[in-house]
Amino acid sequence: MANYNASVDDPTGPALDPDPLLRRLDLVLTGGTLTPRNFQTIREAMMRIGPGTYHWPLARLKTGIYLILTSPEFAVQR
């Protein structure tokens, strides 16, 4: 598995395009079980945090993590 050490402050990093970041979070936190509907909902929430806000890459990352941690897929014990 590839190492994912990109900085969220990097302008070309994972916060610019949340899809790869969200896929990685899904794999690490839920074992890849996030439903397409929840994936899209979380992606849209992350995309609403734009470059106009202070520390937007970090805010985007925190939002993605929070929403995955509160999703039903994360709460299911396997």
Side-chain angles (χ1 to χ4, degrees), residues 52-72:
T53 59
Y54 185 71
H55 288 301
W56 68 273
L58 186 59
R60 205 177 254 192
L61 174 65
K62 286 181 177 182
T63 299
I65 291 172
Y66 174 77
L67 291 174
I68 289 177
L69 292 180
T70 58
S71 72

Side-chain angles (χ1 to χ4, degrees), residues 14-32:
L16 195 59
D17 181 18
D19 286 349
L21 174 62
L22 190 52
R23 282 189 205 100
R24 178 68 178 179
L25 291 173
D26 176 27
L27 182 64
V28 171
L29 298 174
T30 68

Side-chain angles (χ1 to χ4, degrees), residues 32-49:
T33 61
L34 202 60
T35 63
R37 180 178 179 184
N38 285 344
F39 184 93
Q40 184 63 27
T41 302
I42 294 170
R43 182 187 179 282
E44 288 173 6
M46 290 173 70
M47 290 298 292
R48 287 181 185 254
I49 301 169

